Amino acid sequence: MLMTMRKAAIFISALAFSAFGLFAQDELATYQTWMKTAAGANGALRAAVTAKDTAAITENSTKMAEAFDSMAKFWATKHKDDAVKFAETARDAAKSVPTASPEEQTAALAKIGGTCRGCHTPYRDGSKFKE
Ligand code: HEC
C-alpha cells in the first residue's frame, strides 16, 4: 500500500514536470499552425457533412488528416505516446469521413471531437506551453 502510494506520488510529480518545456519557441509556432488548421477544418468538415457537400468534405478531411498526421509525428519525437494516439485517432477518423455512410460520419466526427479534449487536458490546459 505504502509502496503503491509512493509510486503514485512519483508518477504525479513526473507528470507535472513533463508539462513544462515540451515546446521550443519555433516548434510552438509550427504546432499552433497545425492546430489552427485542424480546428478550422474540423468546423468546416462538420458543416460540410451537414450540408452533404462532397467537395468540401474531401477538402477538409484531407486538411485535417494532414495536420493531425504532422502533430502525431511531432509528439512521437517527444515520446508522448498518449498524445500520438490522440492525434492518430483524429487523423484516421478524419480520413474515413469522405467514404463513410452518414451514420459512420457522425461517429467519426464524435471520435474526432473526443480527441480535442483528451489531448488538451494533459497537454494544453495544465501546461505552460504559451509562455
Ligand atoms: C494530440 C493532441 C491534440 C489534439 C488531438 C488536439 N489538440 Fe488542440 N492543442 C493541443 C495543444 C498542445 C495546444 C496548445 C498549443 C499552444 O500552447 O499554443 C492546442 C491548442 C489548440 C487551440 C489554440 C491554438 C492557438 O494557439 O491559437 C485550438 C483552437 C485547438 N487546440 C483546437 C483543437 C480542436 C478543435 C481539436 C479537435 C478537433 C484539437 N485541438 C485536438 C493539442 C491537441
Side-chain angles (χ1 to χ4, degrees):
M1 181 61 190
L2 240 183
M3 218 20 217
T4 313
M5 280 180 59
R6 218 149 106 205
K7 268 193 194 143
I10 291 167
F11 181 63
I12 288 164
S13 57
L15 269 185
F17 182 72
S18 71
F20 297 90
L22 260 178
F23 285 81
Q25 211 48 35
D26 54 336
E27 281 181 341
L28 180 58
T30 307
Y31 192 89
Q32 286 173 339
T33 308
W34 294 328
M35 197 71 262
K36 281 189 183 118
T37 302
N42 185 45
L45 182 62
R46 281 172 184 279
V49 165
T50 305
K52 303 196 192 305
D53 180 341
T54 321
I57 289 174
T58 304
E59 183 194 331
N60 288 293
S61 132
T62 306
K63 238 191 227 171
M64 196 187 324
E66 281 172 4
F68 276 119
D69 191 53
S70 301
M71 284 185 252
K73 289 185 178 125
F74 168 84
W75 288 112
T77 68
K78 303 290 175 189
H79 308 290
K80 298 292 176 195
D81 295 347
D82 51 347
V84 172
K85 191 98 203 300
F86 284 126
E88 287 182 346
T89 301
R91 177 197 66 195
D92 295 344
K95 259 192 203 162
S96 77
V97 173
T99 54
S101 71
E103 293 75 28
E104 287 166 345
Q105 288 180 332
T106 307
L109 291 176
K111 206 176 203 181
I112 294 165
T115 67
C116 312
R117 201 193 164 107
C119 192
H120 287 172
T121 301
Y123 293 113
R124 184 186 180 194
D125 299 344
S127 76
K128 297 280 182 194
F129 291 170
K130 286 192 176 284
E131 287 182 357

